[in-house]
Amino acid sequence: RHALTRRLIAMIDLTDLSDSSSPADVERLCSRAMEHRVAAVCVWPEHVRRAGRQLDGSNVRIATVVNFPAGDDRAFDCSVIADRVIADGADEVDLVLPYRAVSAGDHERASAVLDAVRAVVPAERHLKVILETGELGNSALVGRAARLAIDHGADFVKTSTGKTSVSATPEAVTAMAHEVVSASRPIGIKPSGGIRTLEDAAALLHAVEAVLGVGWATPASFRLGASSLLDALLAE
């Protein structure tokens, strides 16, 4: 149990995307991230530069969000923000897929957003695409959304914004894992939202590794987007 807990801590994207997130909150977040050696922090775009100054010299990566949380911004607007956060030092861009368009069968609009952002995110930086799986609903649609994201340059597929009633579930990550296993290049998976306990995190890890193999998940291939999970794991 201790080994599992340590393994999970190393895969956390320690997140503060609250509406009230302040510079002081971000500084505390970064301090905790360095102390406990999590994989990354995830902050609002306006905090990327500040996080970069504090995390300089550490192994903690900086993630931020684009088209968040609604997924309704235009491709051009998404690319402008993505370009700015890359310039500010973001290592990873978590982009919300236009999931309503995907649900309606409008893959052209969704593809335009993906392509516009991928064009400004360099190959050495990660593009993590948020599918909003709870809103997509069924596993077949989750799988199609994951495939679309992968085909248009995603390095990771991510379940959720954490701003909807249903976030990460084992069923969603299983559907995503089936698309990852058939991809022609390595793709990571990031469950996010509603992951609050060791049991929550372990269930998601197990669901992924049931498809991709025990030991597949590392901080390079599997992340857990969470704000309170670290506290629960440290309590273990």
Side-chain angles (χ1 to χ4, degrees):
R1 193 173 174 97
H2 178 73
L4 174 62
T5 301
R6 288 304 317 171
R7 185 183 177 205
L8 291 169
I9 287 173
M11 296 188 287
I12 290 176
D13 282 5
L14 191 60
T15 301
D16 186 352
L17 295 171
S18 61
D19 293 337
S20 61
S21 180
S22 69
D25 293 330
V26 171
E27 289 172 3
R28 283 192 291 271
L29 190 82
C30 291
S31 293
R32 297 195 77 215
M34 288 188 289
E35 178 184 359
H36 299 294
R37 300 180 185 179
V38 302
V41 296
C42 187
V43 297
W44 289 109
E46 59 265 32
H47 295 312
V48 167
R49 194 181 290 270
R50 180 181 302 275
R53 288 195 296 268
Q54 191 166 350
L55 294 171
D56 187 39
S58 77
N59 291 322
V60 179
R61 297 171 67 87
I62 303 164
T64 191
V65 290
V66 173
N67 203 19
F68 188 96
D72 292 331
D73 293 348
R74 296 180 304 164
F76 175 77
D77 296 335
C78 293
S79 70
V80 168
I81 295 172
D83 191 50
R84 189 185 84 216
V85 298
I86 290 295
D88 283 349
D91 300 299
E92 304 177 352
V93 173
D94 288 26
L95 169 71
V96 180
L97 181 75
Y99 59 90
R100 292 184 186 87
V102 172
S103 294
D106 185 0
H107 287 192
E108 185 175 345
R109 181 168 183 274
S111 298
V113 169
L114 292 167
D115 291 343
V117 174
R118 180 76 266 183
V120 299
V121 176
E124 67 273 12
R125 315 279 182 104
H126 285 153
L127 175 59
K128 293 145 77 186
V129 177
I130 304 169
L131 308 181
E132 203 65 288
T133 54
E135 295 297 294
L136 292 174
N138 65 75
S139 293
L141 190 51
V142 169
R144 287 199 294 275
R147 171 53 50 192
L148 181 69
I150 292 167
D151 287 347
H152 288 270
D155 299 303
F156 271 72
V157 284
K158 174 178 170 180
T159 61
S160 321
T161 61
K163 304 292 187 180
T164 59
S165 59
V166 177
S167 292
T169 65
E171 294 77 17
V173 297
T174 296
M176 292 158 62
H178 280 296
E179 298 302 324
V180 167
V181 79
S182 63
S184 60
R185 56 192 172 84
I187 304 293
I189 293 175
K190 179 179 172 179
S192 60
I195 309 168
R196 298 184 177 90
T197 66
L198 171 62
E199 289 71 25
D200 291 340
L204 295 164
L205 176 65
H206 175 74
V208 166
E209 292 199 330
V211 178
L212 292 161
V214 175
W216 174 85
T218 70
S221 62
F222 185 76
R223 302 287 183 80
L224 294 159
S227 55
S228 59
L229 178 63
L230 179 60
D231 290 332
L233 296 181
L234 291 174
E236 291 285 340

